[in-house]
Amino acid sequence: MQKKGCSEEELFSFLSSARLKDRKYEKVLSSMCTIPHPVAVKAHNMFIETNLGDPGLFMGTASIEALLVERLGVLLHHKSAGGYATTGGTESNIQALRIAREIKNLKNPNVVVPESAHFSFEKACEILSLELRSVPSDKNYQMDEEKIEECIDKNTVCLVGVAGTTEYGVLDPISYLSEIALERDIFLHVDAAFGGLVLPFIDEKPDFDFKLPGVSSISVDPHKMGMSTIPAGCLLVRDSSVFKSTEVDTPYLTVKKECTLCGTRPGGSVAAAFAVLEYLGEEGMEEIVSRCMKNNNKLIFGMKKLGYPVAAEPCVNVASFLCEDTPKGWQVSRTRYGHLRTVCMPHITEDIIDEFLKDAESMQN
Amino acid sequence: MQKKGCSEEELFSFLSSARLKDRKYEKVLSSMCTIPHPVAVKAHNMFIETNLGDPGLFMGTASIEALLVERLGVLLHHKSAGGYATTGGTESNIQALRIAREIKNLKNPNVVVPESAHFSFEKACEILSLELRSVPSDKNYQMDEEKIEECIDKNTVCLVGVAGTTEYGVLDPISYLSEIALERDIFLHVDAAFGGLVLPFIDEKPDFDFKLPGVSSISVDPHKMGMSTIPAGCLLVRDSSVFKSTEVDTPYLTVKKECTLCGTRPGGSVAAAFAVLEYLGEEGMEEIVSRCMKNNNKLIFGMKKLGYPVAAEPCVNVASFLCEDTPKGWQVSRTRYGHLRTVCMPHITEDIIDEFLKDAESMQN
């Protein structure tokens, strides 16, 4: 630290120059985050000093968090879902596995996840000392239905399905998982961190949420397709009594128990998440999702014409291509199997797709 | 969710009315959070769309995070400390214990913490399947030096000391812990989530940071006395190679490994944390800390005159009183032993202390 402080002018000129070194979102086709909606930023600022870690001090903010959970619950077919705002999918997934572990309390617990699951499950299992069992993928990079049963045994505390995978944008056979979960009384967590705010706004899709009776919990991230500020994730559970399993006593706070992973939690991004959903309503979200899906299809169609077919048929606005080169100047990513991967977030317009396709064509020359 | 969205006016009038139900900070003497500094809010907004979970996209923001770690490292006597921004003390403490567990990799690991430690250690041990061993407190609610050794055995993977306890504002015998840690080769984590941005700005204090050669890691929270926005915590380590123990592979991101607990991480609050330190410099922080300490002393002196002596002699701006009643209209808290507890954060002025003392006097009538 410097002995003397600096002027506001110096400080912000330095910060601006650092900010300029960040990538502009217009060239970013690899991220599941996007530019926050203007009402998100405005709401965030209104609640910027609030702390949900001490909800007795911030009862108004806590009521907004409860409303956010209710709205997402309704959207995912369970009005009385329990839940709370997390920092995002990773934390939600860790907490879901933690709950599942505590409920069963077995000696050598294991968790059955799709091979294609987000890397946060590896992290969660390592932290929670859970054995991770991967179910191989089928040709479309979804969990192979026929190989699920053989991974499960009496020590399985949790099944995981993904609704809109990070790398291929596909959906695991969640209704099948739901049947197994009910039959064998196993906690079923659905990672819909991305898909949870896409699929409800699409006409034709398989069931993936609380509509399926075996689904115990769902991760859904408003800071992805919900255009909130960061951090805004959400862990929803069918039955809020499961949170008892992760409670610790909290001397000195305005509440007596805490079941979350983090202590201090920002109210700003939670108000932001709520604000976007409330402002847009279902119709507004449908419009945005439909634009993203249209752009995703345009990209898939254009790439196919250039000789780059998709590696998997996605059900959300993610695409993967059999394409070894990368168009210059664009931020795309590579899946673990080496496919070119893109995400058409709300900041990606039709014009941007045209430009991208032009650059993909010129890399062939 | 509503079918149709609402107008911006409706939305913000609803959000304002919720916000009004939150406590105003002027009457809050129980929180370790405070109103963020204006430069924090401004910097937060400049970086509001950035995501440190994908640092290759946000190289400018990532450079600010690195600078924040460096500044805090210098302040805590280790310029080349490794570290990263967390959501706060709880996450930092979990990650420190996780690192300690991975490094030793023992069968029945235990962690030795002061009885007075923050409840996040109980949470961390439960998550990480670590046995929690509490060292009883002495009369001043600090770790009893004489009772430390008997808690340690060959399965001890981590020692914890607190610099500025949440409930009593005291300091554990960290230099003694440092000696034991070196002697027995045990990871020593210092929880300075609160004290880490108080103690460096106070003239007379015992050593508590990387100056002590046995200290392996430190939690320090800019969103507490650093007047940043939430979430802004920091985990610092003496040797960044320890982060290897918590790395997982990250297919599809701009970086190949991730050692953090969360995935998506806000850049806004990190830029905010850096901005405050840079703007105020050491001298500015000294001024603020000295004002908080003066108010804390004024409160202690005033309460003593009213017949409410302190329960412990604090070394930071936290106080605990032998006082069973609570002045009306004030938000104070109770420690686990039932003492009235206050924190003189930067939002607490001399006038507020006068008012509080007046109300404390009138509750005697």
Side-chain angles (χ1 to χ4, degrees), chain A residues 146-266:
Chain A
E146 284 170 23
K147 292 178 179 152
I148 299 174
E149 281 279 7
E150 61 200 63
C151 293
I152 302 172
D153 65 16
K154 61 178 186 355
N155 291 323
T156 302
V157 295
C158 192
L159 302 176
V160 174
V162 185
T165 58
T166 311
E167 293 177 87
Y168 292 92
V170 298
L171 216 100
D172 288 321
I174 298 173
S175 66
Y176 182 65
L177 286 170
S178 165
E179 280 170 34
I180 304 179
L182 285 179
E183 224 177 83
R184 305 184 67 148
D185 186 30
I186 303 176
F187 194 92
L188 169 55
H189 175 63
V190 174
D191 180 358
F194 187 76
L197 283 168
V198 178
L199 296 166
F201 309 109
I202 290 177
D203 280 338
E204 278 172 51
K205 78 249 166 183
D207 290 340
F208 73 98
D209 60 18
F210 290 119
K211 208 179 202 175
L212 298 168
V215 171
S216 315
S217 64
I218 301 179
S219 307
V220 50
D221 281 5
H223 67 211
K224 294 191 168 89
M225 283 294 289
M227 291 160 289
S228 181
T229 49
I230 297 168
C234 205
L235 173 64
L236 296 176
V237 295
R238 181 178 296 277
D239 174 0
S240 26
S241 74
V242 298
F243 286 131
K244 282 208 190 313
S245 65
T246 62
E247 273 176 1
V248 294
D249 289 337
T250 54
Y252 86 84
L253 286 185
T254 51
V255 286
K256 292 287 148 256
K257 301 269 184 191
E258 186 175 280
C259 69
T260 55
L261 188 65
C262 300
T264 300
R265 294 188 298 127

Side-chain angles (χ1 to χ4, degrees), chain A residues 343-356:
Chain A
V343 193
C344 282
M345 293 300 290
H347 63 267
I348 300 295
T349 62
E350 253 194 278
D351 288 350
I352 294 180
I353 300 288
D354 283 332
E355 234 185 288
F356 179 84

Side-chain angles (χ1 to χ4, degrees), chain A residues 2 7 32 67 80 87 89 107 127 147 158 186 191 193 206 228 247 251-252 276 323 330-331 333 361 365:
Chain A
Q2 312 287 325
S7 73
M32 284 185 156
L67 276 177
S80 57
T87 54
K107 206 157 176 215
I127 291 171
K147 292 178 179 152
C158 192
I186 303 176
D191 180 358
S228 181
E247 273 176 1
Y252 86 84
V276 177
C323 173
W330 293 89
Q331 189 68 46
S333 59
E361 190 174 2
N365 304 325

Side-chain angles (χ1 to χ4, degrees), chain B residues 93-351:
Chain B
N93 293 339
I94 294 172
Q95 286 291 88
L97 264 54
R98 188 181 159 204
I99 289 170
R101 183 188 74 172
E102 296 307 313
I103 289 175
K104 285 272 163 140
N105 194 20
L106 299 177
K107 206 157 175 218
N108 294 303
N110 69 63
V111 175
V112 173
V113 309
E115 188 191 342
S116 63
H118 187 257
F119 61 83
S120 55
F121 288 101
E122 190 193 328
K123 198 191 275 191
C125 286
E126 190 267 315
I127 291 171
L128 295 163
S129 307
L130 293 163
E131 183 197 340
L132 180 84
R133 295 188 173 180
S134 282
V135 181
S137 301
D138 65 14
K139 276 186 292 185
N140 203 41
Y141 297 93
Q142 293 158 223
M143 208 180 200
D144 190 337
E145 236 177 78
E146 286 170 23
K147 293 179 178 152
I148 299 174
E149 282 278 7
E150 63 201 65
C151 292
I152 301 173
D153 65 17
K154 62 180 185 357
N155 291 324
T156 302
V157 295
C158 192
L159 302 176
V160 173
V162 184
T165 59
T166 311
E167 294 177 86
Y168 292 93
V170 299
L171 216 99
D172 288 320
I174 297 172
S175 65
Y176 182 64
L177 285 170
S178 165
E179 280 170 35
I180 304 179
L182 285 179
E183 223 176 83
R184 306 185 65 147
D185 185 29
I186 303 175
F187 195 92
L188 169 56
H189 175 63
V190 175
D191 180 358
F194 187 76
L197 282 168
V198 178
L199 296 165
F201 309 109
I202 290 177
D203 279 339
E204 278 172 52
K205 77 251 166 183
D207 290 339
F208 72 99
D209 61 18
F210 290 120
K211 208 178 204 175
L212 298 168
V215 171
S216 316
S217 65
I218 301 179
S219 307
V220 50
D221 281 5
H223 68 210
K224 294 190 167 92
M225 283 296 287
M227 291 161 289
S228 181
T229 50
I230 297 168
C234 206
L235 173 63
L236 296 177
V237 294
R238 181 178 296 277
D239 174 0
S240 25
S241 74
V242 299
F243 286 131
K244 281 208 191 313
S245 65
T246 62
E247 273 176 1
V248 294
D249 289 337
T250 55
Y252 86 82
L253 286 185
T254 51
V255 284
K256 292 287 149 253
K257 301 271 183 188
E258 187 175 281
C259 68
T260 55
L261 187 64
C262 300
T264 300
R265 295 189 296 128
S269 40
V270 171
F274 174 75
V276 177
L277 296 183
E278 216 57 7
Y279 178 72
L280 293 175
E282 268 186 52
E283 287 179 1
M285 281 299 296
E286 268 162 27
E287 205 185 302
I288 284 169
V289 167
S290 126
R291 205 185 313 137
C292 291
M293 290 301 287
K294 217 175 113 190
N295 286 333
N296 203 50
N297 290 334
K298 184 184 166 87
L299 180 60
I300 290 173
F301 182 80
M303 288 292 277
K304 196 179 170 188
K305 258 181 53 182
L306 293 173
Y308 306 120
V310 288
E313 289 296 337
C315 58
V316 294
N317 40 325
V318 172
S320 53
F321 301 99
L322 296 162
C323 173
E324 282 174 21
D325 297 315
T326 301
K328 257 200 190 131
W330 293 88
Q331 189 69 46
V332 293
S333 59
R334 291 278 160 193
T335 69
R336 66 189 91 180
Y337 307 110
H339 298 121
L340 182 93
R341 167 185 169 271
T342 57
V343 193
C344 282
M345 292 301 289
H347 63 266
I348 300 295
T349 62
E350 253 194 276
D351 288 350

Side-chain angles (χ1 to χ4, degrees), chain A residues 2-4 22-23 42 45 57 60-61 98 101-102 123 126 252 258 260 282-283 333, chain B residues 2-4 8 19 22-23 45 57 60-61 98 101-102 123 126 252 258 260 282-283 333:
Chain A
Q2 312 287 325
K3 191 84 197 148
K4 293 212 176 293
D22 291 340
R23 274 278 204 173
K42 195 170 158 183
N45 273 286
L57 291 186
T61 311
R98 186 179 161 207
R101 184 188 73 172
E102 296 308 311
K123 196 190 277 190
E126 190 267 315
Y252 86 84
E258 186 175 280
T260 55
E282 268 185 54
E283 288 180 2
S333 59
Chain B
Q2 312 287 323
K3 192 83 197 145
K4 292 210 176 296
E8 207 175 314
R19 186 73 185 88
D22 290 339
R23 273 278 202 175
N45 273 285
L57 292 187
T61 311
R98 188 181 159 204
R101 183 188 74 172
E102 296 307 313
K123 198 191 275 191
E126 190 267 315
Y252 86 82
E258 187 175 281
T260 55
E282 268 186 52
E283 287 179 1
S333 59

